[in-house]
């Protein structure tokens, strides 16, 4: 293998595939970057066995070849080289790297043991805007369960029905749900691991406006042109989430999102001192009183609001409530209540599609 | 106690005294901030038992009083409050904090057990420019010993002689020394702990141009006007460092600092894979060849230079060499050698006062 490429053209692809590589892998070969040169193109690939990222970049290929290179060392060397043309020459398993007055020789590993990109067959294809996909994953993935005994709930459900797509995450205490219309008649459910969702969001930061998602029985594939992302899906049954959302709310409270976030963040300073993270809300016609008590002290916050329906006293885990309010982007939110024991539903007053459902904490005596 | 102060006026002083407070202290009272209001002024103080920082800020004091407040919680509350006037009222040990629609009550502790600022008596006073003190500490303190069995070497020596002040750190492998002329006839040696040096540099970031240092037998005090910093000194004998610097160099190599740093950083990528961090220099008339080998590969770097004297092959721990070269600010440096077993001395070619001495690694067969 003999390749010439400018340092600046190689840095980006290395950063991209390193997103898939885990520092802690039981298989040493997975600490490597797969590197292949042919047809005036370099193909790089990284994987942790679950997530795989492949990317291609144009280069001057004088002689074809392939090798697996230690990811950290190879990445550090390329990053530290001067901003100039890099000459890569592979002889057996030794890669010679030259750039101006620097020369490295590093040992690679044969490529036979390196896993190939998974083949996706019988997939359903869905086209989404970059913004919709990023918003959906950001506003739901934080609500996945961390409990490995309920594996299906540790991922985000991609639920496709004709004309509609839903992203759902829930952990038994709260649910985040984002729905949107799509132009597709496909019907498929796929549970995407939380880490894959995080990496998708990071990858999309620098990509096209329209994203092609492919869902198959075991894999999700996202094609970004020169970069392809594939993740295994989580097997198992997701929770029947549709029944959770009721529409018989009796109390609707409209308030400024930012006021609520700041009041809850301050109340949380004391709530988090105790295990329960407990905050109590006392909702009346024009204001919400947020209170929290701990051994060290107490806090009282008054937030202006406009309430339809009766007053209500209700308690929450401040972390779960706060994360949902923060997930909404718009300025004004509405909180819907039935009573002090049924879930609260929070949504934007301006934009539909996203709802966050959070269970109250039952207080002694209720 | 009854005090009114704007949030923005209280944040800075809290950040300042929190620099002295350690998260891990065996004495719970030291997790607190001492808070006192009198004469239209708030005095805050934090200490970890070694370092103490006291700062004062103007405030509207309606009633005097003092209390010790949990540092993390009090700091977090003030930081999260709206940017407006804060009303603080102390009743017994309960501090009521009000700001717009927020109200906190937190339990404080009585101030009796909180250590007072140490009294400095019989001190020697030295005036230095902020820049000299920061440069001296930055360019030496990284070279202190980490070995608690050689306690005296874990700090930076402040060595005052009539007309001259030296800052010295050494660990048995290298020495960093910064000397300057001062207008003082004082003669005193003080070993300042490395952590105190770090905190002094952080404190000085936002301070006056001329700094008053007081050295006494057990303490160093730095007076920054509204803020006072005091640290205990390390007891013990420092190394007789003056004899280490020889002047009978036979080889003098002039080169660009940045070239040397980048070449060494790249060589270090392979050197650090092995315990010894070994890099070899092959110095000739016009260039230095830097080489390093490890199980994974090797690296060769060519750096242009201009050499007086014979060629030389010499080896170093790359970390020690690199830290010294990086500590120099100027563009061009000179490295002085006697032979491959005596220390190398590195200094700026433009500015005198700072020298860095580093021992070579003896290779088998020398």
């Amino acid at each position: 293998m003999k390749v010439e490429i400018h340092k600046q053209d190689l840095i980006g692809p290395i950063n991209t595939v390193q997103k898939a590589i885990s520092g802690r892998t039981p298989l040493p070969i997975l600490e490597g970057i797969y590197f292949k040169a042919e047809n005036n193109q370099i193909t790089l690939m990284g994987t942790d066995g679950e997530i795989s990222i492949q990317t291609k970049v144009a280069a001057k290929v004088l002689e074809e070849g392939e090798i697996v290179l230690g990811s950290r060392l190879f990445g550090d060397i390329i990053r530290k080289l001067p901003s100039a043309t890099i000459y890569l020459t592979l002889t057996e398993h030794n890669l010679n790297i030259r750039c101006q007055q620097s020369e490295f020789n590093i040992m690679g590993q044969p490529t036979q043991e390196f896993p190939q990109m998974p083949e996706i067959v019988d997939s359903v294809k869905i086209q989404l805007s970059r913004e919709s996909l990023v918003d959906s994953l950001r506003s739901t993935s934080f609500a996945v369960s961390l409990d490995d005994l309920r594996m299906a709930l540790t991922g985000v459900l991609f639920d496709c029905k004709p004309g509609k797509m839903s992203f759902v995450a829930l952990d038994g205490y709260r649910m985040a749900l984002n729905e949107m219309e799509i132009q597709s008649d496909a019907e498929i459910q796929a549970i995407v691991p939380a880490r894959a969702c995080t990496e998708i969001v990071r990858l999309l930061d620098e990509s096209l406006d329209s994203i092609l998602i492919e869902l198959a029985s075991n894999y999700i594939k996202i094609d970004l042109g020169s970069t392809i992302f594939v993740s295994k899906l989580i097997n198992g049954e997701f929770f029947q989430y549709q029944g959770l959302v009721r529409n018989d709310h009796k109390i609707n409270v409209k308030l400024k999102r930012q006021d609520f976030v700041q009041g809850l963040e301050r109340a949380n300073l004391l709530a988090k001192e105790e295990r329960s993270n407990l905050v109590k809300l006392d909702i009346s016609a024009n204001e919400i009183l947020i209170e929290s008590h701990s051994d060290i002290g107490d806090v009282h916050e008054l937030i202006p609001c406009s309430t339809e329906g009766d007053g209500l006293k209700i308690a929450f885990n401040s972390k779960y409530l706060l994360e949902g309010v923060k997930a909404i982007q718009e300025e004004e939110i509405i909180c819907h209540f039935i009573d002090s024991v049924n879930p609260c539903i929070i949504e934007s007053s301006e934009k539909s599609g996203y709802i966050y459902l959070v269970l109250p904490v039952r207080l002694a005596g209720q």
Side-chain angles (χ1 to χ4, degrees), chain A:
Chain A
M1 182 171 86
K2 256 191 209 291
V3 190
E4 296 178 19
I5 184 168
H6 195 280
K7 176 223 172 124
Q8 298 305 342
D9 296 331
L10 191 52
I11 286 286
I14 290 174
N15 289 341
T16 297
V17 300
Q18 282 185 333
K19 290 188 173 78
I21 299 172
S22 162
R24 287 161 297 180
T25 166
L27 281 175
I29 189 88
L30 298 188
E31 289 170 13
I33 291 178
Y34 169 85
F35 189 105
K36 180 178 173 180
E38 66 177 358
N39 303 331
N40 279 330
Q41 188 167 263
I42 296 173
T43 302
L44 297 173
M45 185 189 149
T47 180
D48 66 353
E50 302 278 327
I51 292 172
S52 305
I53 300 176
Q54 185 191 73
T55 192
K56 296 182 186 220
V57 57
K60 190 168 168 188
V61 176
L62 306 168
E63 195 184 300
E64 298 185 349
E66 59 178 14
I67 186 76
V68 175
L69 299 163
S71 162
R72 194 174 48 78
L73 181 62
F74 182 61
D76 286 349
I77 289 173
I78 302 301
R79 270 185 280 271
K80 288 277 184 193
L81 285 176
S83 189
T85 300
I86 301 175
Y87 300 84
L88 300 160
T89 310
L90 185 68
T91 314
E92 299 273 320
H93 297 136
N94 176 68
L95 183 70
N96 177 273
I97 305 169
R98 279 192 309 111
C99 181
Q100 291 184 351
Q101 298 299 304
S102 296
E103 181 173 357
F104 283 84
N105 290 292
I106 57 172
M107 285 298 292
Q109 295 179 70
T111 56
Q112 289 88 328
E113 283 176 46
F114 200 84
Q116 291 301 298
M117 282 296 279
E119 287 263 347
I120 314 296
V121 287
D122 292 335
S123 70
V124 165
K125 293 187 175 68
I126 296 154
Q127 198 88 30
L128 280 186
S129 78
R130 194 181 75 85
E131 200 188 346
S132 307
L133 182 56
V134 170
D135 284 353
S136 297
L137 294 178
R138 281 223 177 101
S139 62
T140 56
S141 59
F142 67 87
V144 300
S145 173
L146 303 175
D147 181 357
D148 283 347
L149 295 177
R150 306 167 81 187
M151 190 50 84
L153 301 187
T154 64
V156 175
L157 178 71
F158 286 42
D159 189 5
C160 303
K161 294 200 166 55
K164 190 172 107 173
M165 181 151 183
S166 308
F167 295 82
V168 193
L170 62 86
D171 68 358
Y173 305 103
R174 46 24 190 310
M175 174 175 76
L177 166 64
N178 200 34
E179 288 185 338
M180 66 188 68
E181 290 178 7
I182 55 168
Q183 291 184 331
S184 157
D185 288 331
E187 208 155 350
I188 189 169
Q189 288 208 327
I191 306 173
V192 181
R195 178 164 119 72
C197 295
T198 307
E199 295 306 337
I200 292 170
V201 169
R202 288 171 66 193
L203 266 185
L204 291 180
D205 255 7
E206 319 130 14
S207 80
L208 316 164
D209 275 354
S210 179
I211 310 292
L212 182 70
I213 303 178
E214 289 184 55
L215 298 173
S217 57
N218 290 314
Y219 290 103
I220 177 173
K221 175 177 171 181
I222 295 185
D223 192 334
L224 302 170
S226 60
T227 300
I228 291 169
F229 172 95
V230 174
S231 169
K232 283 190 184 164
L233 298 177
I234 298 175
N235 286 318
E237 278 291 300
F238 202 77
F239 193 82
Q240 290 299 324
Y241 66 93
Q242 291 90 345
L244 291 176
V245 183
R246 290 167 59 176
N247 283 314
D248 51 346
H249 305 113
K250 295 174 183 151
I251 305 163
N252 304 304
V253 182
K254 200 182 273 192
L255 72 169
K256 287 236 168 64
R257 190 185 72 95
Q258 198 54 16
D259 290 351
F260 204 23
V261 166
Q262 288 172 355
L264 285 171
E265 280 184 341
R266 286 190 290 264
N268 190 41
L269 292 176
L270 283 174
K272 75 183 179 189
E273 300 283 332
E274 311 256 307
R275 266 205 175 174
S276 60
N277 271 329
L278 195 73
V279 290
K280 294 180 201 172
L281 308 191
D282 188 344
I283 299 163
S284 55
N286 301 314
E287 59 190 23
I288 303 180
L289 171 63
I290 308 174
E291 288 188 299
S292 184
H293 298 260
S294 82
D295 286 350
I296 311 170
D298 53 64
V299 50
H300 313 265
E301 294 280 337
L302 271 181
I303 313 287
C305 70
S306 115
T307 301
E308 282 174 23
D310 294 341
L312 177 70
K313 290 186 181 184
I314 188 168
F316 292 97
N317 178 315
S318 62
K319 174 180 183 300
Y320 295 149
L321 187 56
L322 189 53
E323 287 184 347
V325 178
K326 276 182 158 175
I328 296 171
Q329 309 264 321
E330 287 71 40
E331 263 188 36
E332 200 179 56
I333 60 170
I334 304 185
C335 304
H336 305 280
F337 301 90
I338 295 171
D339 53 30
S340 67
V341 294
N342 274 294
C344 162
I345 287 177
I346 305 173
E347 59 184 341
S348 160
S349 75
E350 301 149 48
K351 191 178 153 193
S352 65
Y354 182 74
I355 66 164
Y356 184 80
L357 178 150
V358 55
L359 285 177
V361 177
R362 242 179 226 250
L363 297 179
Q366 278 186 333

